[in-house]
Amino acid sequence: MICGIVDIGSNTIRLSVYKCEGGENRLLMHRKTMAGVASYIKSGRLPAEGIRIICRTLQEYRKLLDNLEISDMYVFATAPLRNISNTEEVVSDILEETGISVNVISGEEEAVLSFTGATLGITHRKGVMIDLGGGSTEILRYEDGRILSTYSMPIGSLNLFNRYVNGFYPTEEERKKIHKAVEEQLERSGVDLSPASHICGVGGTIRAASQVANHFFCRSDDYNIISVEELKMLLKRIKKPDSDNVHELLKIVPDRIHTIIPGLIVLETVSKALNADEITVSMCGVREGYLIKCVMRNA
């Protein structure tokens, strides 16, 4: 079976095409659209303009798969559609416009699916998984392959940028506000902050942080460990929007130039709260989890 999995996130809409055979799956191709859906949300609602962006992207992906003679396309959405007041209206409008059904998953479901995908590369017996996206952050504790607890916080790299940053690059005062907002959400969400023996990082924001760290610390592109001390050093190094820093970030993560600092702040704040030393970055996550739990099991 060959199928496409589409993930509608706060910052990006992603299409991943997999070949499923013998209980295993292999990624054949990947396409990403920087849709910035969360940026269209006003007063807790997604207006017509934001819905059009989603519809246009889904229609492009459907056409691409049709050209490749791939009939199966499964679409799910995370924070940008579940954290709005007009979710049902948006899903109905998308179906009417495109003929495509969208499955809006809860924060807890997202955490479980991310864990399912991430475990494809997790070797540690016990630890915490952090799935940092544009509109939400999921925190999950696990041991011996079992999920012990899940927490979902409605904050991510993009909605923190939209909420607290007035310009292109966060000021020192804006960075402090973001840090405080993360600390308040940790307390409000009741996250278990007992020390973590290991952290597994999942999601595009964390993968982008890994790219930035590897560049600034002169490591190979496939190195997938970031220390909490390095996060602190990175935030200090890219503190000011001088030409050298902006130029470097534009080379490494051009599509995340505005959200990388809020993302790094979330990651450092949560990691320090868990008294962790380092994060292992997983290349697999929620899309692979959705494929395994919601597609392959029903195939």
Side-chain angles (χ1 to χ4, degrees), residues 33-216:
T33 302
M34 300 302 298
V37 174
S39 299
Y40 292 92
I41 297 173
K42 304 295 182 185
S43 302
R45 293 175 58 85
L46 184 66
E49 187 179 9
I51 297 172
R52 282 196 296 272
I53 291 292
I54 295 174
C55 290
R56 185 165 66 241
T57 304
L58 293 181
Q59 288 168 329
E60 289 174 358
Y61 288 169
R62 182 64 271 174
K63 184 177 180 180
L64 172 62
L65 293 181
D66 286 343
N67 288 337
L68 296 172
E69 299 183 348
I70 299 171
S71 60
D72 293 328
M73 185 174 86
Y74 302 88
V75 183
F76 70 91
T78 55
L81 297 197
R82 72 167 173 256
N83 292 337
I84 56 177
S85 60
N86 61 329
T87 299
E88 291 185 6
E89 175 190 333
V90 170
V91 171
S92 176
D93 286 350
I94 293 172
L95 178 61
E96 183 177 350
E97 177 68 23
T98 68
I100 297 170
S101 297
V102 178
N103 179 14
V104 181
I105 61 175
S106 69
E108 290 71 24
E109 286 177 300
E110 184 177 359
V112 171
L113 293 174
S114 293
F115 177 72
T116 301
T119 50
L120 297 173
I122 289 180
T123 57
H124 293 78
R125 186 182 66 84
K126 178 180 180 182
V128 171
M129 185 202 75
I130 300 174
D131 182 356
L132 173 55
S136 68
T137 300
E138 281 64 50
I139 300 175
L140 178 151
R141 282 188 175 271
Y142 65 90
E143 184 172 356
D144 293 331
R146 293 183 300 109
I147 297 171
L148 304 180
S149 61
T150 62
Y151 307 88
S152 181
M153 302 189 298
I155 55 171
S157 58
L158 182 59
N159 63 11
L160 285 171
F161 173 84
N162 290 336
R163 193 177 305 164
Y164 295 106
V165 182
N166 292 317
F168 174 71
Y169 212 81
T171 64
E172 182 65 26
E173 186 62 29
E174 289 167 342
R175 286 159 62 119
K176 289 179 181 178
K177 289 180 180 179
I178 293 171
H179 178 76
K180 183 179 179 182
V182 178
E183 288 186 323
E184 289 176 349
Q185 274 295 333
L186 281 171
E187 183 176 351
R188 189 176 303 131
S189 301
V191 176
D192 179 0
L193 295 178
S194 55
S197 59
H198 173 259
I199 288 182
C200 172
V202 178
T205 302
I206 290 182
R207 288 193 291 271
S210 178
Q211 288 178 272
V212 173
N214 287 343
H215 176 84
F216 280 110

